[in-house]
Amino acid sequence: TLQERRIYNPADEVYLRLSRVFPVDFVFLSLIVLYIFAATLFGIIALDIRLLCISVYTLRARKSAPQALLVMCNTMAYILLALCVALLTIAPDYTAFGSQRPKSGSKASHCSLGSVNEDQRDRCQVSVIATFFTQIALSMPIFSIAYFLANWAFIAVFVFVFARGLLFQRRQPFLDTAVDLEEEELGLLAFA
């Protein structure tokens, strides 16, 4: 592990500063998780459940198959698990230590991954989720390498798609909000 930070991490620093006032960091983290959850849910509903670009299930109000809802719930659970792993990358010190501060005898303002050595183990305790994923990463390094490469692939694809979207703005047909209304919903079959 790195003993000191070499690159400034703004997300980690924001979380550590917000953790000084008790509920603010939890509110901020909850808002980000709810935003990602809502955006994912909107994306799944707008694009349906697909496998290799082939629509497997469609999701409509009161018309979805139970299997579609089960697959959507599993997908959301995997996305929340991926969010936990992503938080370890985005804000490693905050995810590992939260709002802990070293006890007297240390010049550091907060616990960090570089400050945990043999004589400071009783001062800063690593969170359970950080310990769990660190043990997985150490015992199976192929997953760490794959995760690192997947992050860089995501960044490359994001930059490419963002640049393409800026240069060639074209409306995508699958994002249209046209809703198929049935006659019964329009009230044409009602006896009035």
Side-chain angles (χ1 to χ4, degrees):
T1 62
L2 293 175
Q3 294 300 321
E4 62 185 45
R5 287 190 207 184
R6 295 186 181 166
I7 299 174
Y8 178 73
N9 187 344
D12 202 17
E13 196 64 36
V14 166
Y15 278 118
L16 289 172
R17 289 185 191 269
L18 288 176
S19 70
R20 293 179 184 165
V21 180
F22 168 63
V24 177
D25 58 336
F26 290 133
V27 170
F28 189 73
L29 185 62
S30 299
L31 288 174
I32 290 176
V33 169
L34 285 174
Y35 171 73
I36 291 173
F37 185 81
T40 304
L41 196 61
F42 173 76
I44 290 174
I45 290 172
L47 298 175
D48 295 329
I49 297 174
R50 297 173 180 243
L51 178 66
L52 300 174
C53 298
I54 299 170
S55 182
V56 179
Y57 295 111
T58 58
L59 296 169
R60 299 289 173 251
R62 296 187 199 102
K63 296 179 186 174
S64 300
Q67 295 86 356
L69 296 176
L70 185 63
V71 170
M72 184 184 72
C73 288
N74 283 333
T75 304
M76 295 305 292
Y78 287 130
I79 288 172
L80 290 176
L81 176 66
L83 181 62
C84 288
V85 175
L87 278 175
L88 287 167
T89 305
I90 295 169
D93 287 341
Y94 177 77
T95 307
F97 299 104
S99 61
Q100 291 183 52
R101 305 244 187 277
K103 295 179 182 166
S104 61
S106 175
K107 52 187 166 184
S109 63
H110 59 272
C111 293
S112 66
L113 293 172
S115 70
V116 179
N117 54 25
E118 295 300 325
D119 60 337
Q120 292 182 338
R121 290 209 188 271
D122 58 336
R123 296 181 187 161
C124 296
Q125 290 190 345
V126 181
S127 67
V128 175
I129 193 154
T131 304
F132 176 69
F133 283 115
T134 302
Q135 287 177 350
I136 290 173
L138 292 175
S139 64
M140 296 177 275
I142 188 72
F143 290 123
S144 299
I145 295 168
Y147 182 69
F148 177 77
L149 294 175
N151 277 335
W152 279 106
F154 173 77
I155 290 170
V157 169
F158 176 80
V159 168
F160 174 74
V161 170
F162 185 73
R164 184 175 175 268
L166 285 177
L167 297 175
F168 308 107
Q169 291 183 352
R170 184 175 50 129
R171 186 157 176 85
Q172 300 295 326
F174 59 83
L175 292 178
D176 288 339
T177 58
V179 178
D180 297 332
L181 296 176
E182 293 183 3
E183 293 176 358
E184 194 170 80
E185 292 175 350
L186 292 173
L188 297 177
L189 297 178
F191 296 101

